[in-house]
Amino acid sequence: MNSETMLMMLIALPFAGACLAALFPPNARNAETWAAALVTLGAVVLSASLFPAVATGTPVRLNIEWLPTLGLSFSLRMDGFAWLFSMLVTCIGFLVVIYSRYYMSPDDAIPRFYAFFLAFMGAMLGIILSGNLILLVVFWELTSIISFMLIGYWYQKADARDGARMSLTITGVGGLGLLAGVLLIGHIVGSYDLDAVLDSGDLIRSHPLYVPAICLVLLGAFTKSAQFPFHFWLPNAMAAPTPVSAFLHSATMVKAGVFLMARLWPVLGGTYEWFWLTGFAGAASLLLGAYFAIFQRDIKGLLAYSTISHLGLITLLLSLGSPLGAVAAIFHMMNHATFKASLFMAAGIIDHESGTRDMQKLGGLFKLMPYTATLAMVASAAMAGVPLLNGFLSKEMFFAEAIETHADSILDTAAPYVAVIASAFAVTYSIRFIHAVFFGERPADLPREPHEPPFLMRLPIQLLVLACLVIGIIPAITVGSFLHIAVVSVLGADTPAYSLAVWHGLTVPLGMSVIALIGGALLYVLLRHYLAHCEEGPPYFRRLKGQRIFERVLVFVSWRFARLVEATLGTRRMQQQLRLLVAVSLVAAAIPFYNSNFGLGLFELGQIDIPFALLWVIGIACAVGAAHQAKFHRLVALILLGGAGVVTCITFVWLSAPDLAVTQLLVEIVTAVLILLGLRWLPKRWEDTELGRAPISTKLRRGRDLLVAAVAGLGMTLLSYAVMTRPSPDTISGFFLRKAYEEGGGRNVVNVILVDFRGFDTFGEITVLGIVALTVFALFRRFRPAPDTIESPEQQRIQAATDEERSDRITGQTVSDYLLVPSVIMQWLFPVIIVFAAYLFLRGHDLPGGGFAAGVAMSAAFILQYLAAGTVWVEDRLRILPVNWIGLGLLIAGCVGIGSWVFGYPFLTSYSQYIDLPVIGEIPAATAILFDLGVFSLVVGATVLMLIVFAHQSIRRLRAAKISTTTIEEVA
Amino acid sequence: MAGPIDITGAMITTPTPAGDWLAVVPVALPIITGAALLMLRKRLHWQAPIAVATLAVVFLATLALLVRVWTFGTVVMTMGRWLPPFGISFTVDLLGALFACTASLVALVCSVAAVQSVARPARRYGYFPFLLLTAVGVNGAFLTGDIFNLYVWFEVFLISSFGLLVVGSTRAQLDGTLKYGVLNLIGTTLFLIATGYLYGIFGTLNMADVIRKVPAVEGAPLMTLATLYLAAFSMKAAAFPVQAWLPASYHTPNVVTSAFFGGVLTKIGVYALLRVLVLLFPLQLAGLSGVIGWVAAATMVLGALGALAQSDIRRMVGFLVISGVGVMLAGLAVGTGPALAGGIFYAMHSMIALTALYLLAGLVAERAGSSSLHVVAGLSSAPVLIIAAFILMLSIAGLPPGSGLWPKIMVVQAALEAQHGWLTAAVLLSSLLTVITLGRFFLFVFWRPPVADGLGERPKRLMSPGPMLALTFLAVVMGLYPEPFVRAASHAADGLLQPDAYVRAVFGEQG
């Protein structure tokens, strides 16, 4: 197997394992563990066997085309640094899997745990091995997401949910920042390939976008590595099961941030900005983390803050810009992972065996679990930096770097003091952990009786502690070569000379270590009694909790602020929405219009045709009057609307478009009748009779609306004027005029346009008409008249009252005999109108008329029947099924369109021919007439359907609701 | 009567290849079957199968159309055999084919979901014909190459969507329908007015013809025209500040209807913006890009904030729809090829992911008996829903392995290249707010222990999660293997920026 394949397998194996793990039955704890252990062990073996290839000095690379359009390939790259990290991740992963077998309870959902655990390992390896920055970000986000699922593993607990949500949010911010930062770097370099980026250090550092880029990248790194001020999610993530904490929050995920900083250190580091950003965050995390750790009651809380502090140390080392600092940083990443993972597992054992992690409740466990206690003590000593352990070595390197001057500034001057103080704190919390848990009195009220855990649960800790010892005593022999290839792969030619040894002679760093050890121990002695009884949290900072600030901010943003924004900028009221819409279009049209300085052509009075202008004055007056009266006098408004419509009709006639005029007239009639029928059911409105009754605010609002409407109307006028006074363009209408007869087969150009030239538009529009009718039908399904509209109209009541007063009349007689003669005429008109409609239809292609006009005329016949005889009479005799007519119309029109397929011509191609009919004579017959038939059928169906629906309401109130629903359906 | 007429000056004389009929099928077929369903309205059990079968054929047709466009270039069919620009041309370029194909898929999935979830009265009153006719309008809008015809299809889908909203007939639905209807009618009227001016200036309605004539037009208020179109289509797309109709109405109807609307309808506004502004008025678009950028940023961020403020799941999803529109507008604002490609890809992703999220919201509400986040909790025993919800959360927030990641990266990358730093910030901020919103949704619905007696009645027959899962699966595919989508979107964007091919496809080589 070559090394590329192994690299691919290394990434694929954990994900495949995750899919496999998810398929196990919930109670197969042992089998599941074996499978997971095999997978992780396989990953360890794969990583280890890649060493020879990596040790040659050239990275192992794998490129698979993935997204070439975006310049992104699935490229993996393993150099020494990546190798070291992948060994770390896989080894600790393997140990934690074994540990988890004993830690997790049989009641837990084991498949979910291992599935996410393995997927996390895959994502983490992805970060380490990515050879492309975008790919790195993808894996980076994956770790955030999977850690959300792992922290929330025990989702029944509120703190697990809160912790999961917080870590998702914080690392989410960072992930997005990192994405932006990476895109910036890609923009600067012109490639996202890691090798290309690593080669362009000077280019990046001198680019004007350098500062934003490092700010964004560091935002990602700091949030991930829980660096101040984004540190607070980590202690809250301790709600996760302890194996998760051991893996994610000691060895891997939190290391991703410092990994990235080290990875990009040769490119981004070494500048003043970098120094200040990372130096400040690192120093603050180092000091505050250590200080906060002392005062935790929860063991895991202590370890979490300690992790923050140690990661701060690494960040601080990386801020310095010295190669030796980078060496120390890489070395400390390894060391911290080994001792912190073992300590987390030890904490898990304590929790598991005694039932609590509260150091004020625990004590004296040494006698009960001596092995575990010894292991924990060694690991704590490594954490405290005691000589002969691995923690000591990297801390000495840190001290040595701290006393060097790198960039002359306050931060640099303060560094040695910060280092010593923080180390002293580390000693204090390490002693506290050991002393409070394993020594002192044995408390009586522990939830469980503690005893030593099973051997296999302890084994992972033993191995890790052994590593701490071995590395601490003989570093050069054990890890020297591994560390060296890692360092060389990061630093390249800048690799400094360094020595891994326990004893460097009597140096200043040694002195600092001694001071820290003694100082830390003394501090613990002083604080011992306080710590045994104190509240949770460090003194002076107890109130200033990052977590609480975060929650406040989140609540503010998600609740108050978001609601405020919604209330201010959004509205649920339609009037405001309309006003906004009109205002936006007004502004949208006005500003560019104003800016472009249109000279409106001069208005010449002589051009005005006076009668025509007068006609339009009347029309405008009608329209404005309709708008004015619409609120309180609907009937008046409707009549005025009719006036405006008539003016439009006359205009069409004036401008020689009789066809449009006929159609418009018929449409006006039918719509007026339909609206009249609808008016009946609108709730009543009473005008405020005395002027001045309306409050000022209402008047102001109306005034403002008037202003908006007037300005919008004026703008529309100006715009139309500007467009219409332009020299007329060469329009397509000339073509229509020329071709309508010869090729279109009709003399009525409007009709030919409707059914042939632009028949497709008509096809769409008749569909619209049909749907409108159906929607009206559906809209009235649950219609119940408003209470104040149920009584009969005033006129009918007066007539009925007259009947009652006069003894010779039967009540209701006047109403039923009303307009008797006209009704009879109207009833007789029915066949006449139908013939007229047929006439309109047939002559349509050559003379004014056509399917639409014929359809509307036909529906007028039905309207007359309703007027003449009333709803009940008509419904009893109505044989037309309007919905079917609508369907049929659409069907005919559609099929005519498709029919031209047979002839190999496009949709809706018409074919015209003159045919000789007996009696009638020669008539033009275009297939367009079939299409027109569809139009006719649909128009009749649609208008009659609406008519029935409106008219039926008057019967409905008389009958029980149930019956009426069925009847209306039967009628339609 | 008349002798043989030389028709070459007016009509197409070459026979139409059968493959070009694919362009009309997505419109003609559903009209015909919709009409047939109207005539068969008494036979309720025929309605759903015919509608699903029709939409399946339509989807296959659009897919075939997409392949044809991809292989042979823009497909044109000019109706009635008239030469363009006199007849109405369906001009299907890659952009239109991509949108039509995605929308048809969403329509198909929604029709399958509707089989189970639409109540009898709604079927009796024509739910399935309305659904088919909405699909007609949607497809027509994506396929047409004539701007007045575009208006016609806008009307078709507007009115039939109105019908879909109305068939439920509850009080809240009617209230939502009224707002939806009135505001959209006014927006559409604005579109019509603008088109009237356009005809007044150019004397033609064929978009390819307009492209040819734009350079020659002088002294016309083209900028005003472009802004009018911007206002009209932004309203359709539910962009800030004319977005209010969407949250007012989308949460009211049957959830499948919401899913269809949320997925598809706003994208038509985005599509029309791309089509009209980029293709017809590129110069004016450059002048407007600042405004569009602010609109995009406000839409993204305020949409996400709005989502955060909701306690009703479906209203929350409605705001996420708005927020997503902002990302597409950001692509338009930047206006470069990659930015437009990002916007186009985002639109495709958004159609799929948001439809799925609406369907998921419906499934959740059905199982919990409520759609209020105050009440819904404890659905931890529905692993399928949990996984789907998790994936959709990632998709919509733009995190891996979901489909939203890549288009967002494309838009952000293009915005950075074009030095629009704040637009980048807005995209990322809206992503973050979306993560918070959906994270809260996830925690509340699936992880929070059930509220003691908050759960309402569970219906006996639960809706199948199948349609939602199909779309979720597609979202994952788009996230894991985005290359074909990225490439298609990039080509579509190039086609918009270099309209020569579009014009040539309509007018032949002399164009």
Side-chain angles (χ1 to χ4, degrees):
Chain A
M1 200 160 42
N2 63 3
S3 38
E4 284 87 23
T5 326
M6 292 204 295
L7 205 54
M8 189 65 218
M9 280 182 64
L10 182 57
I11 285 276
L13 188 63
F15 286 112
C19 297
L20 186 72
L23 299 175
F24 273 73
N27 52 0
R29 194 157 61 129
N30 284 325
E32 180 93 48
T33 309
W34 278 114
L38 271 178
V39 168
T40 43
L41 190 63
V44 172
V45 172
L46 279 171
S47 301
S49 50
L50 276 161
F51 182 73
V54 172
T56 57
T58 46
V60 178
R61 285 197 185 80
L62 171 76
N63 253 308
I64 300 173
E65 284 282 288
W66 186 29
L67 236 177
T69 318
L70 284 189
L72 173 62
S73 57
F74 188 88
S75 93
L76 299 177
R77 172 186 183 280
M78 186 190 248
D79 59 4
F81 187 43
W83 181 84
L84 196 61
F85 247 94
S86 67
M87 277 311 283
L88 189 77
V89 167
T90 49
C91 287
I92 294 184
F94 173 64
L95 295 176
V96 173
V97 164
I98 293 176
Y99 173 83
S100 309
R101 156 66 185 79
Y102 298 93
Y103 182 85
M104 303 305 284
S105 120
D107 305 333
D108 292 323
I110 299 294
R112 183 157 54 94
F113 175 79
Y114 278 122
F116 281 118
F117 189 90
L118 291 176
F120 180 83
M121 193 164 114
M124 194 62 211
L125 285 171
I127 295 182
I128 295 164
L129 300 177
S130 288
N132 183 301
L133 287 180
I134 301 257
L135 189 64
L136 187 144
V137 176
V138 168
F139 282 118
W140 182 281
E141 297 280 22
L142 270 182
T143 58
S144 300
I145 294 158
I146 302 170
S147 92
F148 168 78
M149 293 308 254
L150 282 170
I151 296 172
Y153 177 72
W154 283 320
Y155 54 77
Q156 300 86 347
K157 297 182 187 167
D159 61 339
R161 296 198 298 271
D162 291 347
R165 187 175 175 195
M166 185 183 292
S167 81
L168 181 70
T169 311
I170 299 293
T171 52
V173 173
L176 292 169
L178 179 66
L179 173 63
V182 159
L183 290 175
L184 274 182
I185 292 177
H187 172 63
I188 297 170
V189 178
S191 164
Y192 297 107
D193 190 70
L194 191 57
D195 288 311
V197 171
L198 290 177
D199 284 341
S200 341
D202 293 329
L203 176 68
I204 295 175
R205 280 188 295 266
S206 58
H207 199 275
L209 287 173
Y210 168 71
V211 175
I214 62 162
C215 286
L216 289 165
V217 170
L218 288 177
L219 180 67
F222 289 174
T223 49
K224 202 76 166 180
S225 282
Q227 291 298 287
F228 181 84
F230 310 107
H231 59 281
F232 49 88
W233 69 265
L234 186 61
N236 283 286
M238 292 301 130
T242 301
V244 171
S245 306
F247 190 48
L248 269 67
H249 305 131
S250 69
T252 56
M253 190 173 87
V254 290
K255 288 285 189 329
V258 286
F259 170 83
L260 182 73
M261 280 193 266
R263 181 93 273 181
L264 295 177
W265 180 86
V267 184
L268 300 180
T271 62
Y272 189 68
E273 294 88 354
W274 172 274
F275 169 71
W276 268 103
L277 284 169
T278 54
F280 177 73
S285 311
L286 171 66
L287 206 54
L288 289 176
Y291 176 67
F292 284 22
I294 299 175
F295 299 96
Q296 299 300 310
R297 282 172 63 175
D298 178 7
I299 304 175
K300 281 178 80 178
L302 181 149
L303 293 176
Y305 276 109
S306 152
T307 302
I308 293 171
S309 168
H310 279 275
L311 292 170
L313 189 157
I314 297 168
T315 308
L316 190 56
L317 278 169
L318 287 170
S319 78
L320 300 174
S322 82
L324 270 175
V327 175
I330 294 169
F331 193 31
H332 197 66
M333 287 180 210
M334 305 297 122
N335 294 335
H336 175 252
T338 44
F339 65 70
K340 196 50 77 54
S342 59
L343 280 171
F344 265 113
M345 288 195 261
I349 290 178
I350 295 161
D351 183 19
H352 197 255
E353 297 301 325
S354 65
T356 180
R357 299 191 313 238
D358 188 337
M359 284 186 280
Q360 288 181 3
K361 288 190 186 152
L362 288 162
L365 291 185
F366 187 81
K367 289 191 182 121
L368 296 171
M369 36 172 78
Y371 289 115
T372 310
T374 315
L375 292 172
M377 276 189 270
V378 178
S380 302
M383 174 162 78
V386 173
L388 295 182
L389 290 164
N390 61 355
F392 170 75
L393 298 174
S394 42
K395 202 161 67 175
E396 279 244 304
M397 292 166 105
F398 168 54
F399 284 155
E401 278 307 298
I403 49 180
E404 295 285 325
T405 303
H406 298 285
D408 201 7
S409 64
I410 304 172
L411 200 60
D412 202 72
T413 321
Y417 305 101
V418 170
V420 173
I421 294 171
S423 298
F425 286 164
V427 174
T428 309
Y429 64 68
S430 303
I431 299 177
R432 183 190 179 200
F433 167 51
I434 296 303
H435 188 253
V437 174
F438 296 109
F439 297 96
E441 277 177 51
R442 248 180 77 189
D445 55 344
L446 282 180
R448 254 174 261 158
E449 184 60 26
H451 53 79
E452 280 289 347
F455 172 73
L456 277 176
M457 191 173 186
R458 221 171 46 209
L459 180 70
I461 310 180
Q462 281 169 333
L463 291 174
L464 285 171
V465 167
L466 188 67
C468 291
L469 272 168
V470 171
I471 298 171
I473 297 167
I474 39 170
I477 305 167
T478 48
V479 292
S481 55
F482 304 134
L483 182 65
H484 188 70
I485 63 156
V487 167
V488 170
S489 70
V490 173
L491 297 177
D494 296 336
T495 310
Y498 62 91
S499 95
L500 285 179
V502 182
W503 180 252
H504 287 110
L506 284 173
T507 54
V508 182
L510 186 65
M512 289 163 81
S513 278
V514 173
I515 296 173
L517 280 170
I518 296 172
L522 280 176
L523 186 63
Y524 179 69
V525 174
L526 289 175
L527 284 174
R528 193 167 51 140
H529 294 288
Y530 173 79
L531 286 175
H533 303 285
C534 70
E535 296 173 55
E536 177 81 20
Y540 310 117
F541 290 95
R542 207 168 276 144
R543 291 179 168 279
L544 192 76
K545 281 182 110 174
Q547 177 200 358
R548 196 169 298 164
I549 298 171
F550 169 80
E551 270 161 15
R552 288 259 170 87
V553 168
L554 201 63
V555 166
F556 175 74
V557 169
S558 68
W559 209 242
R560 303 227 185 97
F561 180 65
R563 299 229 144 182
L564 187 77
V565 167
E566 201 205 352
T568 327
L569 297 173
T571 168
R572 295 190 182 183
R573 295 186 45 182
M574 197 167 72
Q575 270 194 336
Q576 288 184 23
Q577 293 167 9
L578 277 176
R579 199 174 291 132
L580 200 63
L581 184 58
V582 174
V584 165
S585 11
L586 182 62
V587 171
I591 291 178
F593 196 64
Y594 177 78
N595 281 345
S596 53
N597 297 321
F598 275 107
L600 293 173
L602 265 185
F603 194 64
E604 287 178 40
L605 279 174
Q607 287 179 342
I608 299 178
D609 188 346
I610 305 246
F612 190 59
L614 270 179
L615 185 70
W616 265 73
V617 169
I618 295 170
I620 290 168
C622 283
V624 172
H628 182 249
Q629 295 295 324
K631 187 159 184 182
F632 298 112
H633 303 282
R634 295 174 184 131
L635 187 60
V636 178
L638 182 61
I639 294 168
L640 288 171
L641 215 53
V646 169
V647 169
T648 316
C649 281
I650 299 175
T651 309
F652 284 142
V653 176
W654 201 291
L655 300 175
S656 326
D659 201 90
L660 291 184
V662 169
T663 313
Q664 177 77 22
L665 193 64
L666 288 166
V667 169
E668 286 289 335
I669 292 168
V670 174
T671 42
V673 171
L674 287 177
I675 296 177
L676 263 179
L677 286 169
L679 280 191
R680 169 75 177 82
W681 303 113
L682 290 181
K684 286 176 187 165
R685 264 198 170 140
W686 306 104
E687 192 169 8
D688 355 309
T689 39
E690 291 170 44
L691 280 171
R693 184 71 80 66
I696 288 285
S697 60
T698 312
K699 283 187 175 171
L700 278 177
R701 196 193 55 203
R702 287 180 190 164
R704 183 185 54 186
D705 289 354
L706 180 67
L707 192 71
V708 170
V711 174
L714 195 69
M716 212 54 104
T717 314
L718 280 176
L719 192 55
S720 310
Y721 187 77
V723 172
M724 287 193 241
T725 49
R726 284 171 45 77
S728 176
D730 179 24
T731 65
I732 50 175
S733 46
F735 174 89
F736 293 153
L737 285 174
R738 285 194 307 275
K739 305 287 180 183
Y741 182 67
E742 287 196 346
E743 280 101 339
R747 289 195 187 83
N748 179 355
V749 182
V750 174
N751 187 270
V752 177
I753 291 177
L754 283 179
V755 299
D756 196 344
F757 289 127
R758 295 193 70 89
F760 199 53
D761 280 341
T762 312
F763 190 37
E765 289 294 352
I766 57 171
T767 315
V768 171
L769 183 62
I771 305 166
V772 167
L774 292 167
T775 308
V776 170
F777 181 43
L779 195 57
F780 272 86
R781 171 159 81 96
R782 301 270 286 268
F783 174 79
R784 297 294 173 270
D788 53 349
T789 57
I790 287 183
E791 56 184 352
S792 15
E794 197 181 2
Q795 195 189 10
Q796 285 186 17
R797 270 178 291 153
I798 293 170
Q799 287 167 334
T802 332
D803 287 346
E804 271 178 35
E805 273 170 27
R806 290 167 58 174
S807 52
D808 58 331
R809 296 189 72 88
I810 308 158
T811 311
Q813 201 179 9
T814 314
V815 176
S816 57
D817 293 348
Y818 189 66
L819 288 179
L820 187 60
V821 176
S823 333
V824 173
I825 298 174
M826 285 193 269
Q827 280 175 337
W828 287 355
L829 267 178
F830 189 67
V832 179
I833 296 180
I834 289 177
V835 171
F836 175 63
Y839 171 68
L840 276 182
F841 177 77
L842 284 175
R843 70 179 214 152
H845 220 49
D846 288 335
L847 290 164
F852 189 84
V856 179
M858 177 100 165
S859 56
F862 288 95
I863 291 175
L864 284 180
Q865 295 314 300
Y866 271 99
L867 290 182
T871 314
V872 181
W873 189 89
V874 177
E875 285 189 3
D876 281 347
R877 286 160 184 77
L878 200 64
R879 292 292 170 269
I880 185 173
L881 293 171
V883 177
N884 285 8
W885 280 61
I886 295 176
L888 190 69
L890 275 181
L891 213 54
I892 294 175
C895 291
V896 168
I898 291 206
S900 51
W901 190 352
V902 183
F903 303 100
Y905 290 120
F907 191 70
L908 271 181
T909 301
S910 163
Y911 177 74
S912 58
Q913 174 90 50
Y914 280 80
I915 49 170
D916 220 352
L917 280 186
V919 187
I920 301 172
E922 190 181 61
I923 63 157
T927 52
I929 209 163
L930 276 178
F931 181 77
D932 220 13
L933 186 68
V935 175
F936 169 77
S937 164
L938 187 129
V939 171
V940 173
T943 40
V944 171
L945 180 61
M946 287 190 269
L947 191 62
I948 291 174
V949 168
F950 278 116
H952 186 77
Q953 305 309 323
S954 61
I955 313 179
R956 218 176 188 187
R957 74 194 154 104
L958 302 174
R959 302 183 188 174
K962 247 183 193 171
I963 302 169
S964 65
T965 339
T966 47
T967 29
I968 187 173
E969 277 195 27
E970 276 155 17
V971 172
Chain B
M1 196 175 99
I5 305 161
D6 176 30
I7 56 166
T8 47
M11 289 184 137
I12 299 163
T13 42
T14 50
T16 311
D20 284 2
W21 276 84
L22 284 172
V24 192
V25 171
V27 171
L29 180 70
I31 290 194
I32 288 172
T33 50
L37 283 188
L38 284 179
M39 299 177 74
L40 295 171
R41 56 190 283 274
K42 303 281 179 201
R43 299 176 194 264
L44 278 189
H45 55 282
W46 287 22
Q47 301 269 321
I50 294 182
V52 171
T54 306
L55 288 171
V57 174
V58 167
F59 168 62
L60 291 178
T62 50
L63 197 63
L65 188 61
L66 180 62
V67 173
R68 190 174 170 83
V69 172
W70 182 257
T71 333
F72 300 109
T74 305
V75 169
V76 180
M77 177 183 266
T78 305
M79 307 304 162
R81 218 183 147 195
W82 300 104
L83 282 177
F86 309 112
I88 295 168
S89 295
F90 256 26
T91 314
V92 191
D93 62 351
L94 202 52
L95 178 75
L98 275 178
F99 270 78
C101 189
T102 320
S104 299
L105 175 67
V106 169
L108 172 64
V109 171
C110 285
S111 71
V112 173
V115 171
Q116 277 191 316
S117 80
V118 173
R120 274 179 74 85
R123 289 173 197 233
R124 265 212 317 266
Y125 279 84
Y127 186 89
F128 284 102
F130 281 138
L131 189 66
L132 285 177
L133 292 171
T134 313
V136 166
V138 170
N139 284 329
F142 289 147
L143 300 178
T144 190
D146 184 286
I147 199 156
F148 182 77
N149 198 240
L150 179 67
Y151 164 77
V152 171
W153 301 121
F154 262 66
E155 262 193 286
V156 171
F157 83 73
L158 171 63
I159 300 293
S160 20
S161 61
F162 192 73
L164 281 177
L165 281 173
V166 143
V167 285
S169 297
T170 64
R171 185 175 285 266
Q173 283 172 348
L174 292 183
D175 179 66
T177 311
L178 186 71
K179 287 171 182 164
Y180 174 84
V182 171
L183 292 168
N184 271 289
L185 273 177
I186 291 188
T188 314
T189 309
L190 201 60
F191 175 20
L192 180 63
I193 291 171
T195 305
Y197 293 143
L198 181 117
Y199 183 72
I201 294 170
F202 294 102
T204 187
L205 294 165
N206 185 305
M207 291 199 252
D209 202 24
V210 174
I211 299 172
R212 291 198 300 185
K213 290 185 174 164
V214 164
V217 165
E218 274 173 20
L222 290 189
M223 194 67 187
T224 308
L225 199 58
T227 20
L228 274 179
Y229 276 121
L230 175 65
F233 296 143
S234 300
M235 194 263 154
K236 284 292 188 193
F240 180 81
V242 281
Q243 83 292 15
W245 58 271
L246 192 150
S249 58
Y250 272 21
H251 63 292
T252 57
N254 177 303
V255 71
V256 177
T257 312
S258 296
F260 185 44
F261 287 9
V264 171
L265 294 195
T266 48
K267 298 345 170 257
I268 306 177
V270 174
Y271 167 83
L273 280 173
L274 288 170
R275 178 64 79 205
V276 170
L277 290 185
V278 183
L279 198 64
L280 304 190
F281 302 114
L283 284 178
Q284 286 70 25
L285 175 63
L288 287 171
S289 78
V291 179
I292 301 176
W294 283 111
V295 168
T299 309
M300 276 184 277
V301 174
L302 296 175
L305 270 178
L308 204 48
Q310 302 308 313
S311 53
D312 180 282
I313 299 174
R314 284 168 69 181
R315 284 185 71 96
M316 177 192 89
V317 184
F319 276 98
L320 290 178
V321 170
I322 295 177
S323 178
V325 165
V327 181
M328 300 166 220
L329 292 183
L332 182 69
V334 175
T336 58
L340 292 174
I344 294 166
F345 188 12
Y346 198 85
M348 291 162 62
H349 139 78
S350 177
M351 285 196 223
I352 286 164
L354 281 161
T355 306
L357 190 64
Y358 262 117
L359 291 176
L360 178 84
L363 292 164
V364 163
E366 195 186 51
R367 277 164 174 74
S370 163
S371 71
S372 163
L373 277 179
H374 297 305
V375 180
V376 181
L379 292 183
S380 56
S381 58
V384 172
L385 291 193
I386 296 178
I387 294 168
F390 192 60
I391 290 172
L392 290 175
M393 169 174 122
L394 303 178
S395 285
I396 290 164
L399 294 175
S403 50
L405 172 74
W406 302 110
K408 245 177 202 173
I409 287 188
M410 288 162 83
V411 170
V412 168
Q413 198 179 5
L416 282 176
E417 297 281 341
Q419 318 265 316
H420 288 309
W422 52 273
L423 205 54
T424 311
V427 176
L428 297 177
L429 181 61
S430 79
S431 273
L432 177 68
L433 292 172
T434 312
V435 174
I436 297 176
T437 309
L438 287 172
R440 185 183 65 161
F441 163 77
F442 187 83
L443 285 177
F444 279 17
V445 172
F446 298 108
W447 280 2
R448 190 172 53 174
V451 186
D453 51 346
L455 295 186
E457 281 281 303
R458 276 173 60 126
K460 286 192 193 90
R461 257 186 67 205
L462 290 173
M463 243 167 90
S464 147
M468 185 269 299
L469 289 179
L471 290 178
T472 310
F473 176 73
L474 194 59
V476 176
V477 171
M478 284 169 96
L480 289 182
Y481 190 59
E483 171 63 17
F485 304 94
V486 174
R487 189 153 8 128
S490 303
H491 280 263
D494 291 344
L496 281 179
L497 290 172
Q498 281 117 32
D500 306 351
Y502 187 87
V503 174
R504 255 203 319 277
V506 177
F507 292 108
E509 290 307 318
Q510 87 277 10

